[in-house]
Amino acid sequence: GIQVEQSPPDLILQEGANSTLRCNFSDSVNNLQWFHQNPWGQLINLFYIPSGTKQNGRLSATTVATERYSLLYISSSQTTDSGVYFCAPGGGADGLTFGKGTHLIIQP
Amino acid sequence: ETGVTQSPTHLIKTRGQQVTLRCSSQSGHNTVSWYQQALGQGPQFIFQYYREEENGRGNFPPRFSGLQFPNYSSELNVNALELDDSALYLCASRGQGNTIYFGEGSWLTVV
């Protein structure tokens, strides 16, 4: 199955800082999604991004499928951005494959 | 709001018992999948249903089973509960454009 590696595993930033989260995956994929999991366990879909670049407010994501990586950019961080960020390629009959996530803490 | 609701939110079961978790997704979301998330780990794919038929399964034993109903609701059943089954169980449905939406999850503790 697909192997997913996310980096960094942990990240502590001050409010207002920018960050880049990386996701490497072992095989070519047709689908990739980014999620934010809040402290209560809710997984929120941030992007469906099999390739190219998308932006949504302070967040943007880029997937380079041919090089098997995706990046999530967070600008002007807010404390509500804290949580765990997962990338998850797949989503067909084999389901999504999740990495271990990046645990982000934004300090006021 | 993701349009995916799960119940119950929390429950405690005894080892060896059986549990049924429920999920309701949006009308028209024909694909539903279930995931298990242990503490500190990413979610693991259990299985997927499309139009009431299982069409994909992860590395979980047969005591994990499911059903999907015509009204876009589904169930995850786990028999002969083990302590390691303690986890957050997440239901997800596929919306337009392949975007996947998760419910808030059911926290299961097996004692």
Side-chain angles (χ1 to χ4, degrees):
Chain A
I2 301 171
Q3 304 298 313
V4 179
E5 291 186 8
Q6 291 188 242
S7 59
D10 301 282
L11 188 58
I12 302 174
L13 298 172
Q14 294 297 120
E15 208 166 17
N18 302 327
S19 59
T20 300
L21 282 55
R22 186 177 180 101
C23 169
N24 293 329
F25 42 94
S26 59
D27 296 313
S28 58
V29 297
N30 295 322
N31 299 297
L32 186 139
Q33 322 220 7
W34 281 94
F35 296 92
H36 173 221
Q37 189 166 41
N38 65 25
W40 299 271
Q42 172 81 64
L43 274 167
I44 302 297
N45 192 302
L46 300 175
F47 293 102
Y48 165 70
I49 185 162
S51 64
T53 297
K54 289 186 177 179
Q55 181 158 5
N56 184 4
R58 297 181 295 103
L59 275 60
S60 64
T62 296
T63 296
V64 184
T66 54
E67 297 187 21
R68 301 178 184 173
Y69 74 88
S70 184
L71 302 173
L72 178 69
Y73 306 93
I74 305 174
S75 64
S76 304
S77 296
Q78 301 175 358
T79 55
T80 52
D81 295 331
S82 297
V84 184
Y85 289 80
F86 290 102
C87 78
D94 292 334
L96 294 169
T97 299
F98 285 80
K100 292 186 176 181
T102 291
H103 188 195
L104 176 64
I105 297 173
I106 305 298
Q107 296 177 333
Chain B
E1 287 295 325
T2 67
V4 182
T5 57
Q6 292 186 241
S7 62
T9 307
H10 295 82
L11 70 166
I12 300 174
K13 290 286 189 177
T14 302
R15 188 171 49 183
Q17 285 188 317
Q18 179 265 345
V19 67
T20 297
L21 307 177
R22 294 179 172 84
C23 173
S24 177
S25 51
Q26 288 188 42
S27 175
H29 288 196
N30 294 315
T31 302
V32 66
S33 49
W34 286 87
Y35 292 79
Q36 179 196 68
Q37 186 176 18
L39 209 58
Q41 303 295 317
Q44 298 290 314
F45 173 65
I46 303 175
F47 48 60
Q48 176 172 283
Y49 279 77
Y50 175 71
R51 294 188 172 179
E52 303 164 48
E53 296 285 334
E54 182 181 306
N55 72 341
R57 190 174 186 94
N59 189 26
F60 281 82
R63 60 188 185 86
F64 286 78
S65 64
L67 288 171
Q68 185 186 24
F69 303 100
N71 65 352
Y72 305 103
S73 66
S74 63
E75 290 181 355
L76 164 64
N77 298 290
V78 187
N79 294 323
L81 283 166
E82 301 176 0
L83 297 179
D84 285 348
D85 295 332
S86 296
L88 174 65
Y89 288 86
L90 295 159
C91 171
S93 71
R94 184 193 306 277
Q96 286 189 345
N98 285 323
T99 299
I100 292 177
Y101 301 97
F102 280 86
E104 295 184 354
S106 294
W107 293 90
L108 172 65
T109 301
V110 182
V111 298

Coordinates of all heavy atoms in Angstrom, one line a residue, chain B residues 21-106:
Chain B
L21 N -22.1 1.1 15.9 CA -21.9 2.5 15.7 C -22.7 2.9 14.5 O -22.7 2.2 13.5 CB -20.5 2.9 15.6 CG -19.5 2.4 16.7 CD1 -18.1 2.7 16.5 CD2 -20.0 2.9 18.1
R22 N -23.3 4.1 14.5 CA -24.2 4.5 13.5 C -23.7 5.8 12.8 O -23.1 6.7 13.5 CB -25.6 4.7 14.0 CG -26.2 3.3 14.4 CD -27.6 3.4 14.9 NE -28.2 2.1 15.1 CZ -28.0 1.3 16.1 NH1 -27.2 1.8 17.1 NH2 -28.5 0.1 16.2
C23 N -24.0 6.0 11.6 CA -23.6 7.2 10.8 C -24.7 7.5 9.8 O -25.4 6.7 9.3 CB -22.3 6.8 10.0 SG -21.8 8.1 8.9
S24 N -24.9 8.8 9.7 CA -25.9 9.3 8.7 C -25.2 10.4 7.8 O -24.6 11.3 8.3 CB -27.1 9.9 9.4 OG -28.0 10.5 8.5
S25 N -25.2 10.2 6.5 CA -24.6 11.1 5.6 C -25.6 11.8 4.8 O -26.8 11.5 4.8 CB -23.5 10.4 4.8 OG -24.1 9.3 4.1
Q26 N -25.1 12.8 4.0 CA -26.0 13.6 3.1 C -26.7 12.8 2.0 O -26.1 11.8 1.5 CB -25.2 14.7 2.5 CG -24.8 15.8 3.5 CD -24.2 17.0 2.7 OE1 -24.7 17.4 1.7 NE2 -23.1 17.5 3.3
S27 N -27.8 13.2 1.7 CA -28.5 12.6 0.5 C -27.7 12.7 -0.7 O -27.1 13.8 -1.0 CB -29.9 13.3 0.3 OG -30.5 12.8 -0.8
G28 N -27.6 11.6 -1.4 CA -26.8 11.6 -2.6 C -25.4 11.1 -2.4 O -24.7 10.8 -3.4
H29 N -24.9 11.0 -1.2 CA -23.5 10.6 -0.9 C -23.6 9.0 -0.9 O -23.9 8.4 0.2 CB -23.0 11.1 0.4 CG -22.7 12.6 0.3 ND1 -21.9 13.2 1.3 CD2 -23.0 13.5 -0.6 CE1 -21.8 14.5 0.9 NE2 -22.4 14.7 -0.2
N30 N -23.3 8.4 -2.0 CA -23.5 7.0 -2.1 C -22.3 6.2 -1.5 O -22.5 4.9 -1.4 CB -23.7 6.6 -3.6 CG -24.9 7.2 -4.2 OD1 -26.0 7.1 -3.5 ND2 -24.9 7.8 -5.3
T31 N -21.2 6.8 -1.3 CA -20.0 6.1 -0.8 C -19.8 6.5 0.6 O -19.6 7.7 0.9 CB -18.8 6.4 -1.6 OG1 -19.0 6.0 -3.0 CG2 -17.6 5.6 -1.1
V32 N -19.7 5.5 1.5 CA -19.4 5.7 2.9 C -18.3 4.8 3.3 O -18.2 3.7 2.9 CB -20.7 5.5 3.8 CG1 -21.1 4.1 3.8 CG2 -20.4 6.0 5.2
S33 N -17.4 5.3 4.2 CA -16.3 4.5 4.6 C -16.1 4.7 6.1 O -16.6 5.7 6.7 CB -15.0 4.8 3.9 OG -14.8 6.2 3.8
W34 N -15.5 3.8 6.8 CA -15.3 3.8 8.2 C -13.8 3.7 8.5 O -13.1 3.0 7.8 CB -16.0 2.7 8.9 CG -17.5 2.9 9.0 CD1 -18.4 2.5 8.1 CD2 -18.2 3.4 10.1 NE1 -19.7 2.9 8.5 CE2 -19.6 3.4 9.8 CE3 -17.8 3.9 11.4 CZ2 -20.6 3.9 10.6 CZ3 -18.8 4.4 12.2 CH2 -20.2 4.4 11.9
Y35 N -13.3 4.4 9.5 CA -11.9 4.5 9.9 C -11.8 4.3 11.4 O -12.7 4.7 12.2 CB -11.3 5.8 9.5 CG -11.2 6.0 8.0 CD1 -12.3 6.4 7.2 CD2 -10.0 5.7 7.4 CE1 -12.2 6.5 5.9 CE2 -9.8 5.9 6.0 CZ -11.0 6.3 5.3 OH -10.8 6.4 3.9
Q36 N -10.7 3.7 11.8 CA -10.4 3.6 13.3 C -9.1 4.4 13.5 O -8.2 4.3 12.8 CB -10.1 2.1 13.6 CG -9.7 1.9 15.1 CD -9.0 0.5 15.3 OE1 -7.9 0.3 14.8 NE2 -9.7 -0.3 16.0
Q37 N -9.2 5.2 14.5 CA -8.1 6.1 14.9 C -7.7 5.8 16.3 O -8.4 6.2 17.3 CB -8.4 7.6 14.7 CG -7.2 8.5 14.9 CD -7.4 9.9 14.6 OE1 -8.5 10.4 14.6 NE2 -6.3 10.7 14.4
A38 N -6.5 5.2 16.5 CA -6.0 5.0 17.9 C -5.3 6.3 18.3 O -4.9 7.1 17.5 CB -5.0 3.8 17.9
L39 N -5.1 6.4 19.6 CA -4.6 7.6 20.2 C -3.2 7.9 19.6 O -2.3 7.0 19.6 CB -4.5 7.5 21.7 CG -4.6 8.8 22.5 CD1 -5.9 9.5 22.2 CD2 -4.5 8.5 24.0
G40 N -3.0 9.1 19.1 CA -1.7 9.5 18.6 C -1.4 9.0 17.2 O -0.2 9.2 16.7
Q41 N -2.3 8.4 16.5 CA -2.1 7.8 15.2 C -3.0 8.5 14.2 O -4.0 9.1 14.6 CB -2.3 6.3 15.2 CG -1.5 5.5 16.2 CD 0.0 5.6 15.8 OE1 0.4 5.5 14.7 NE2 0.8 5.8 16.8
G42 N -2.7 8.3 12.9 CA -3.7 8.7 11.9 C -4.8 7.6 11.7 O -4.6 6.5 12.2
P43 N -5.9 8.0 11.2 CA -7.0 7.1 11.0 C -6.6 5.9 10.1 O -5.8 6.1 9.1 CB -8.1 7.9 10.3 CG -7.8 9.3 10.7 CD -6.3 9.4 10.8
Q44 N -7.1 4.7 10.3 CA -6.9 3.5 9.5 C -8.2 3.1 8.9 O -9.2 3.0 9.5 CB -6.3 2.4 10.4 CG -5.0 2.7 11.1 CD -3.8 2.7 10.2 OE1 -3.7 1.9 9.3 NE2 -3.0 3.8 10.3
F45 N -8.1 2.8 7.6 CA -9.3 2.4 6.8 C -9.8 1.1 7.2 O -9.0 0.1 7.2 CB -8.9 2.5 5.3 CG -9.9 2.0 4.4 CD1 -11.1 2.6 4.2 CD2 -9.7 0.8 3.6 CE1 -12.1 2.2 3.3 CE2 -10.6 0.4 2.7 CZ -11.8 1.0 2.6
I46 N -11.1 1.0 7.5 CA -11.7 -0.3 7.9 C -12.3 -0.9 6.7 O -12.0 -2.0 6.2 CB -12.7 -0.2 9.0 CG1 -12.0 0.5 10.3 CG2 -13.3 -1.5 9.4 CD1 -13.0 0.8 11.4
F47 N -13.3 -0.2 6.1 CA -14.0 -0.7 4.9 C -14.8 0.4 4.3 O -15.0 1.5 4.9 CB -14.9 -1.9 5.1 CG -15.8 -1.9 6.3 CD1 -16.8 -0.9 6.4 CD2 -15.7 -2.8 7.3 CE1 -17.7 -0.8 7.5 CE2 -16.6 -2.8 8.4 CZ -17.6 -1.8 8.5
Q48 N -15.3 0.2 3.1 CA -16.1 1.1 2.3 C -17.3 0.5 1.7 O -17.2 -0.7 1.3 CB -15.2 1.7 1.2 CG -15.9 2.7 0.3 CD -14.9 3.4 -0.6 OE1 -14.2 4.3 -0.2 NE2 -14.9 3.0 -1.9
Y49 N -18.4 1.2 1.7 CA -19.6 0.7 1.1 C -20.0 1.7 0.0 O -19.9 2.9 0.1 CB -20.7 0.6 2.1 CG -20.7 -0.6 2.9 CD1 -19.8 -0.8 3.9 CD2 -21.5 -1.7 2.6 CE1 -19.7 -2.0 4.6 CE2 -21.5 -2.9 3.3 CZ -20.6 -3.0 4.3 OH -20.5 -4.2 5.0
Y50 N -20.5 1.1 -1.1 CA -21.0 1.9 -2.2 C -22.4 1.3 -2.6 O -22.4 0.1 -3.0 CB -20.1 1.9 -3.4 CG -20.6 2.6 -4.7 CD1 -20.8 4.0 -4.7 CD2 -21.0 1.9 -5.8 CE1 -21.3 4.7 -5.8 CE2 -21.5 2.5 -6.9 CZ -21.7 3.9 -6.9 OH -22.2 4.6 -8.0
R51 N -23.4 2.1 -2.5 CA -24.8 1.6 -2.8 C -25.0 0.3 -2.2 O -25.5 -0.7 -2.8 CB -25.0 1.6 -4.3 CG -24.9 3.0 -4.9 CD -25.3 3.1 -6.4 NE -25.4 4.4 -6.8 CZ -25.7 4.8 -8.1 NH1 -26.0 3.9 -9.0 NH2 -25.8 6.1 -8.4
E52 N -24.8 0.2 -0.9 CA -25.1 -0.9 0.0 C -24.3 -2.1 -0.2 O -24.6 -3.2 0.4 CB -26.6 -1.2 -0.1 CG -27.5 0.0 0.1 CD -29.0 -0.2 -0.4 OE1 -29.5 -1.3 -0.1 OE2 -29.5 0.7 -1.1
E53 N -23.2 -2.0 -1.0 CA -22.3 -3.2 -1.1 C -20.9 -2.8 -0.7 O -20.4 -1.7 -1.0 CB -22.3 -3.6 -2.6 CG -23.6 -4.1 -3.2 CD -23.9 -5.5 -2.7 OE1 -23.0 -6.3 -2.3 OE2 -25.1 -5.8 -2.6
E54 N -20.3 -3.7 0.1 CA -18.9 -3.5 0.5 C -18.0 -3.6 -0.7 O -18.0 -4.6 -1.4 CB -18.5 -4.5 1.6 CG -17.1 -4.2 2.1 CD -16.6 -5.2 3.1 OE1 -17.3 -5.4 4.1 OE2 -15.5 -5.8 2.9
N55 N -17.2 -2.5 -1.0 CA -16.4 -2.6 -2.2 C -14.9 -2.3 -1.9 O -14.1 -2.0 -2.8 CB -16.9 -1.6 -3.3 CG -16.7 -0.1 -2.9 OD1 -16.5 0.2 -1.8 ND2 -16.7 0.7 -3.9
G56 N -14.6 -2.3 -0.6 CA -13.2 -2.1 -0.3 C -13.0 -2.4 1.2 O -13.9 -2.1 2.0
R57 N -11.9 -3.0 1.6 CA -11.7 -3.3 3.0 C -10.2 -3.2 3.3 O -9.3 -3.6 2.5 CB -12.1 -4.8 3.3 CG -12.1 -5.1 4.7 CD -12.7 -6.5 4.9 NE -12.9 -6.8 6.4 CZ -14.0 -6.5 7.1 NH1 -15.0 -6.1 6.5 NH2 -14.0 -6.8 8.4
G58 N -9.9 -2.7 4.5 CA -8.6 -2.5 5.0 C -8.2 -3.8 5.7 O -8.8 -4.8 5.7
N59 N -7.1 -3.7 6.5 CA -6.5 -4.9 7.2 C -7.2 -5.0 8.5 O -6.6 -4.9 9.6 CB -5.0 -4.7 7.3 CG -4.4 -5.9 7.9 OD1 -4.9 -7.0 7.7 ND2 -3.2 -5.8 8.5
F60 N -8.5 -5.3 8.5 CA -9.2 -5.6 9.8 C -9.9 -6.9 9.7 O -10.3 -7.4 8.6 CB -10.3 -4.5 10.0 CG -9.7 -3.2 10.5 CD1 -9.1 -2.3 9.7 CD2 -9.8 -2.9 11.8 CE1 -8.5 -1.1 10.2 CE2 -9.3 -1.7 12.4 CZ -8.6 -0.8 11.5
P61 N -10.0 -7.6 10.8 CA -10.6 -9.0 10.8 C -12.1 -8.9 10.6 O -12.7 -7.9 10.7 CB -10.3 -9.5 12.3 CG -10.2 -8.2 13.1 CD -9.5 -7.2 12.2
P62 N -12.7 -10.1 10.3 CA -14.1 -10.2 9.9 C -15.0 -9.8 11.0 O -16.2 -9.5 10.8 CB -14.3 -11.7 9.6 CG -12.9 -12.2 9.2 CD -12.0 -11.4 10.1
R63 N -14.5 -9.7 12.3 CA -15.4 -9.3 13.4 C -15.8 -7.8 13.3 O -16.7 -7.4 14.0 CB -14.8 -9.7 14.8 CG -13.5 -9.0 15.0 CD -12.9 -9.5 16.3 NE -11.7 -8.8 16.6 CZ -11.7 -7.7 17.3 NH1 -12.8 -7.2 17.8 NH2 -10.5 -7.0 17.6
F64 N -15.1 -7.1 12.3 CA -15.6 -5.8 12.0 C -16.4 -5.9 10.7 O -16.0 -6.4 9.7 CB -14.3 -4.9 11.7 CG -13.6 -4.5 12.8 CD1 -12.7 -5.3 13.5 CD2 -13.7 -3.2 13.4 CE1 -11.9 -4.9 14.6 CE2 -13.0 -2.8 14.5 CZ -12.1 -3.6 15.1
S65 N -17.7 -5.6 10.9 CA -18.6 -5.7 9.7 C -19.4 -4.4 9.6 O -19.5 -3.6 10.6 CB -19.5 -6.9 9.9 OG -20.3 -6.8 11.0
G66 N -20.1 -4.3 8.5 CA -20.9 -3.1 8.3 C -22.1 -3.3 7.5 O -22.3 -4.3 6.9
L67 N -22.9 -2.2 7.4 CA -24.1 -2.2 6.6 C -24.3 -0.8 6.1 O -24.0 0.2 6.8 CB -25.4 -2.6 7.4 CG -25.5 -4.1 7.7 CD1 -26.7 -4.3 8.7 CD2 -25.7 -4.9 6.5
Q68 N -24.8 -0.6 4.9 CA -25.2 0.7 4.4 C -26.7 0.5 4.0 O -27.1 -0.5 3.4 CB -24.4 1.1 3.3 CG -24.7 2.5 2.8 CD -23.9 2.9 1.5 OE1 -23.5 2.1 0.8 NE2 -23.7 4.2 1.3
F69 N -27.5 1.5 4.3 CA -28.9 1.5 4.0 C -29.3 2.5 2.9 O -28.6 3.4 2.7 CB -29.7 1.8 5.3 CG -29.4 0.8 6.4 CD1 -28.5 1.2 7.4 CD2 -29.9 -0.4 6.5 CE1 -28.1 0.4 8.4 CE2 -29.6 -1.3 7.5 CZ -28.7 -0.9 8.5
P70 N -30.5 2.3 2.3 CA -30.9 3.2 1.2 C -31.0 4.6 1.6 O -31.0 5.5 0.7 CB -32.2 2.6 0.7 CG -32.2 1.1 1.1 CD -31.4 1.1 2.4
N71 N -31.2 4.9 2.9 CA -31.5 6.2 3.3 C -30.2 7.0 3.7 O -30.2 7.9 4.4 CB -32.4 6.3 4.5 CG -31.8 5.6 5.7 OD1 -30.8 5.0 5.7 ND2 -32.5 5.7 6.9
Y72 N -29.0 6.5 3.2 CA -27.7 7.1 3.4 C -27.2 7.0 4.8 O -26.3 7.7 5.2 CB -27.7 8.5 2.9 CG -28.1 8.7 1.5 CD1 -29.4 9.1 1.1 CD2 -27.3 8.3 0.4 CE1 -29.8 9.2 -0.2 CE2 -27.7 8.4 -0.9 CZ -29.0 8.9 -1.2 OH -29.4 8.9 -2.5
S73 N -27.8 6.1 5.6 CA -27.2 5.8 6.9 C -26.4 4.5 6.8 O -26.6 3.7 5.9 CB -28.3 5.6 7.9 OG -29.2 4.5 7.6
S74 N -25.5 4.3 7.8 CA -24.7 3.1 7.8 C -24.4 2.7 9.2 O -24.6 3.5 10.1 CB -23.4 3.3 7.0 OG -22.6 4.3 7.6
E75 N -23.9 1.5 9.4 CA -23.5 1.0 10.7 C -22.2 0.3 10.6 O -21.8 -0.3 9.6 CB -24.5 -0.1 11.1 CG -25.9 0.4 11.5 CD -26.8 -0.8 12.0 OE1 -26.4 -1.9 11.9 OE2 -27.9 -0.5 12.4
L76 N -21.4 0.4 11.7 CA -20.2 -0.4 11.9 C -20.5 -1.3 13.1 O -20.9 -0.8 14.2 CB -19.0 0.5 12.2 CG -17.8 -0.1 12.8 CD1 -17.2 -1.1 11.8 CD2 -16.7 0.9 13.2
N77 N -20.3 -2.6 12.9 CA -20.5 -3.5 14.0 C -19.2 -4.2 14.3 O -18.4 -4.6 13.4 CB -21.5 -4.6 13.6 CG -22.9 -4.1 13.3 OD1 -23.6 -3.6 14.2 ND2 -23.2 -4.0 12.0
V78 N -18.9 -4.3 15.6 CA -17.7 -5.0 16.0 C -18.1 -6.0 17.1 O -18.7 -5.7 18.1 CB -16.7 -4.0 16.7 CG1 -15.3 -4.7 17.0 CG2 -16.4 -2.8 15.8
N79 N -17.7 -7.3 16.8 CA -18.0 -8.4 17.7 C -16.8 -8.7 18.5 O -15.7 -8.4 18.2 CB -18.4 -9.6 16.9 CG -19.8 -9.4 16.2 OD1 -20.7 -8.8 16.7 ND2 -19.8 -9.9 14.9
A80 N -17.1 -9.4 19.6 CA -16.0 -9.9 20.5 C -14.9 -8.8 20.7 O -13.8 -9.0 20.4 CB -15.3 -11.1 19.8
L81 N -15.4 -7.8 21.3 CA -14.5 -6.6 21.5 C -13.3 -7.0 22.3 O -13.3 -7.8 23.3 CB -15.3 -5.5 22.3 CG -16.3 -4.7 21.4 CD1 -17.2 -3.9 22.3 CD2 -15.5 -3.8 20.5
E82 N -12.1 -6.4 21.9 CA -10.9 -6.5 22.5 C -10.4 -5.2 23.1 O -10.9 -4.1 22.6 CB -9.8 -7.1 21.5 CG -10.2 -8.4 21.0 CD -9.2 -8.9 19.9 OE1 -8.2 -8.2 19.6 OE2 -9.4 -10.0 19.4
L83 N -9.5 -5.2 24.0 CA -9.0 -3.9 24.6 C -8.5 -3.0 23.5 O -8.6 -1.8 23.6 CB -8.0 -4.2 25.7 CG -8.5 -5.0 26.9 CD1 -7.3 -5.2 27.9 CD2 -9.6 -4.3 27.6
D84 N -7.8 -3.6 22.6 CA -7.1 -2.8 21.5 C -8.1 -2.1 20.5 O -7.8 -1.3 19.7 CB -6.2 -3.6 20.7 CG -4.9 -3.9 21.4 OD1 -4.7 -3.3 22.5 OD2 -4.1 -4.8 21.0
D85 N -9.4 -2.5 20.7 CA -10.4 -1.9 19.9 C -10.8 -0.5 20.4 O -11.5 0.3 19.7 CB -11.7 -2.7 19.8 CG -11.5 -4.0 19.1 OD1 -10.6 -4.1 18.2 OD2 -12.2 -5.0 19.4
S86 N -10.3 -0.1 21.5 CA -10.5 1.2 22.1 C -9.9 2.2 21.1 O -8.7 2.2 20.9 CB -9.9 1.3 23.5 OG -10.5 0.5 24.4
A87 N -10.7 3.1 20.6 CA -10.3 4.1 19.6 C -11.4 5.0 19.3 O -12.5 4.9 19.8 CB -9.8 3.4 18.4
L88 N -11.1 6.0 18.4 CA -12.1 6.9 17.8 C -12.5 6.3 16.5 O -11.6 6.0 15.7 CB -11.5 8.3 17.6 CG -12.4 9.3 16.9 CD1 -13.6 9.6 17.7 CD2 -11.5 10.6 16.6
Y89 N -13.8 6.1 16.3 CA -14.3 5.5 15.0 C -14.9 6.6 14.2 O -15.8 7.3 14.7 CB -15.2 4.4 15.3 CG -14.5 3.1 15.8 CD1 -14.2 3.0 17.2 CD2 -14.0 2.2 15.0 CE1 -13.5 1.9 17.7 CE2 -13.3 1.1 15.4 CZ -13.0 1.0 16.8 OH -12.3 -0.1 17.2
L90 N -14.4 6.7 13.0 CA -14.9 7.8 12.1 C -15.6 7.3 10.9 O -15.1 6.4 10.3 CB -13.6 8.7 11.7 CG -12.9 9.4 12.8 CD1 -11.5 9.7 12.4 CD2 -13.6 10.7 13.2
C91 N -16.7 8.0 10.6 CA -17.4 7.7 9.4 C -17.2 8.8 8.4 O -17.1 10.0 8.8 CB -18.9 7.6 9.7 SG -20.0 7.5 8.3
A92 N -17.1 8.5 7.1 CA -16.8 9.5 6.1 C -17.7 9.2 4.9 O -17.9 8.1 4.5 CB -15.3 9.4 5.7
S93 N -18.1 10.3 4.3 CA -18.9 10.1 3.0 C -18.2 10.9 1.9 O -17.6 11.9 2.2 CB -20.3 10.5 3.2 OG -20.5 11.9 3.3
R94 N -18.4 10.5 0.7 CA -17.8 11.1 -0.5 C -18.8 12.1 -1.1 O -19.9 11.6 -1.4 CB -17.3 10.1 -1.5 CG -16.6 10.8 -2.7 CD -16.5 9.7 -3.8 NE -15.8 8.5 -3.3 CZ -14.5 8.4 -3.2 NH1 -13.7 9.3 -3.6 NH2 -14.0 7.2 -2.8
G95 N -18.4 13.3 -1.2 CA -19.3 14.3 -1.8 C -19.0 14.6 -3.2 O -18.2 13.9 -3.8
Q96 N -19.4 15.8 -3.7 CA -19.2 16.2 -5.0 C -17.7 16.4 -5.2 O -17.0 16.9 -4.3 CB -20.0 17.4 -5.4 CG -21.4 17.2 -5.6 CD -22.1 18.4 -6.1 OE1 -21.6 19.5 -6.1 NE2 -23.4 18.3 -6.6
G97 N -17.2 16.0 -6.4 CA -15.8 16.3 -6.7 C -14.8 15.5 -5.9 O -13.7 15.9 -5.7
N98 N -15.3 14.3 -5.4 CA -14.4 13.4 -4.6 C -14.0 14.0 -3.2 O -13.1 13.4 -2.6 CB -13.2 13.0 -5.4 CG -13.5 12.0 -6.5 OD1 -14.3 11.1 -6.3 ND2 -12.9 12.1 -7.6
T99 N -14.5 15.1 -2.8 CA -14.2 15.6 -1.5 C -14.8 14.7 -0.4 O -16.0 14.3 -0.6 CB -14.7 17.0 -1.3 OG1 -14.1 17.9 -2.3 CG2 -14.4 17.5 0.1
I100 N -14.0 14.3 0.6 CA -14.5 13.4 1.6 C -14.8 14.1 2.9 O -13.9 14.9 3.3 CB -13.5 12.2 1.8 CG1 -13.5 11.4 0.5 CG2 -13.8 11.4 3.0 CD1 -12.5 10.3 0.5
Y101 N -15.9 13.9 3.5 CA -16.3 14.6 4.7 C -16.5 13.6 5.8 O -17.1 12.5 5.7 CB -17.7 15.3 4.5 CG -17.7 16.3 3.4 CD1 -18.1 15.9 2.1 CD2 -17.2 17.6 3.6 CE1 -18.1 16.9 1.0 CE2 -17.2 18.5 2.5 CZ -17.6 18.1 1.3 OH -17.6 19.0 0.3
F102 N -15.9 14.0 7.0 CA -16.0 13.1 8.2 C -17.0 13.6 9.2 O -17.2 14.8 9.3 CB -14.6 13.0 8.8 CG -13.6 12.1 8.2 CD1 -12.8 12.6 7.1 CD2 -13.5 10.8 8.6 CE1 -12.0 11.7 6.5 CE2 -12.6 10.0 8.0 CZ -11.8 10.4 6.9
G103 N -17.5 12.6 9.9 CA -18.4 12.9 11.1 C -17.5 13.2 12.3 O -16.2 13.2 12.2
E104 N -18.1 13.5 13.4 CA -17.3 13.9 14.6 C -16.8 12.7 15.3 O -16.0 12.8 16.2 CB -18.2 14.7 15.5 CG -18.6 16.1 14.9 CD -19.4 16.9 15.9 OE1 -19.7 16.5 17.0 OE2 -19.7 18.1 15.5
G105 N -17.2 11.5 14.9 CA -16.6 10.3 15.5 C -17.3 9.8 16.7 O -18.1 10.5 17.4
S106 N -17.1 8.5 17.0 CA -17.6 7.8 18.2 C -16.4 7.3 19.0 O -15.5 6.6 18.4 CB -18.5 6.7 17.8 OG -19.6 7.1 17.2

